[in-house]
Amino acid sequence: PILKILKYLEDAQEKLRETQDSDALKKDYSEKEYIIIDGASKDGTVDLIKKYSDRVTFWSSEPDKGIYDAMNKALDRVTGDWVIFMNAGDIFSDRTSLSRVFSNKNYEGVGVVYGDINQYYEGFGSFVRRYNDIEHSEVPYSICHQAAFTRANLLKKYGFDTSFRICADAESFLRMFKDGADFRYVP
């Protein structure tokens, strides 16, 4: 069992390293904040964060009550107009993803800009999960938060209900949608 735990910790650090080294975070679209909220990891994650501190706007490592508590803590630090939550190991599809979504685009009145995701499952491979236009969807809350840019002021208003262990992001999107927020699909 100890070897399995150590392997998991190594994998967690490798996943964070993948996100930190992603070309989009390093090179594309200079107008961004990079906020890391760590749940008091004891696996060397803090050392890794410090290694990349020149790219990080703010970071903290303290106990939290789960992923949605950490995401709410990050919202307290956001000063930009748009927010996307990328978990350790998540990367954009290519180095120009941010500029393709935001350069010379008019999203006036839009609350959430969302797209497709490429999911990978070890042993099964990868596939693209496409999200159809939300206006024609029966389940608009099924958007993946790693593929959704949300207006910071909107997300701060709704936040994430930490009583949900999973799906608080879906619940938040659903509340926004029911209250009339405009969602825009960008393939």
Side-chain angles (χ1 to χ4, degrees):
I2 292 174
L3 292 176
K4 191 173 188 178
I5 291 171
L6 291 176
K7 177 64 175 155
Y8 171 76
L9 295 178
E10 289 171 9
D11 288 349
Q13 288 180 38
E14 183 57 33
K15 296 293 184 191
L16 180 59
R17 195 174 286 109
E18 287 173 19
T19 301
Q20 295 266 3
D21 285 338
S22 126
D23 281 345
L25 290 178
K26 289 192 301 190
K27 301 173 187 168
D28 187 39
Y29 206 78
S30 62
E31 298 179 47
K32 62 185 173 286
E33 297 174 306
Y34 191 23
I35 297 169
I36 300 175
I37 306 297
D38 172 63
S41 297
K42 304 288 187 220
D43 63 356
T45 297
V46 171
D47 293 331
L48 186 59
I49 294 169
K50 288 178 181 177
K51 177 181 174 188
Y52 292 96
S53 64
D54 61 318
R55 298 184 208 159
V56 177
T57 307
F58 173 84
W59 71 272
S60 71
S61 181
E62 61 187 26
D64 58 46
K65 298 172 187 147
I67 187 172
Y68 299 112
D69 184 41
M71 290 165 72
N72 283 332
K73 287 179 180 184
L75 285 174
D76 290 342
R77 295 294 181 164
V78 168
T79 63
D81 295 328
W82 294 93
V83 177
I84 188 168
F85 288 99
M86 304 289 282
N87 302 326
D90 292 339
I91 58 174
F92 291 106
S93 61
D94 65 56
R95 61 177 286 203
T96 62
S97 294
L98 292 171
S99 61
R100 282 188 298 119
V101 171
F102 286 107
S103 292
N104 302 315
K105 300 290 192 298
N106 181 2
Y107 294 122
E108 187 174 327
V110 175
V112 180
V113 175
Y114 66 99
D116 305 319
I117 62 169
N118 187 3
Q119 292 183 301
Y120 174 79
Y121 294 100
E122 194 165 324
F124 295 99
S126 65
F127 67 94
V128 174
R129 184 172 169 195
R130 301 214 183 273
Y131 292 92
N132 294 331
D133 191 336
I134 203 162
E135 292 175 16
H136 304 97
S137 174
E138 294 291 322
V139 286
Y141 52 86
S142 66
I143 297 168
C144 181
H145 72 253
Q146 296 96 324
F149 295 92
T150 308
R151 290 263 184 205
N153 60 354
L154 185 65
L155 203 45
K156 287 179 180 190
K157 174 182 173 184
Y158 287 89
F160 300 99
D161 183 341
T162 58
S163 69
F164 290 93
R165 285 194 54 220
I166 58 173
C167 297
D169 49 347
E171 189 272 341
S172 183
F173 284 136
L174 181 59
R175 284 186 288 133
M176 291 177 203
F177 186 76
K178 284 182 172 182
D179 286 348
D182 186 13
F183 286 66
R184 171 98 37 100
Y185 172 72
V186 177

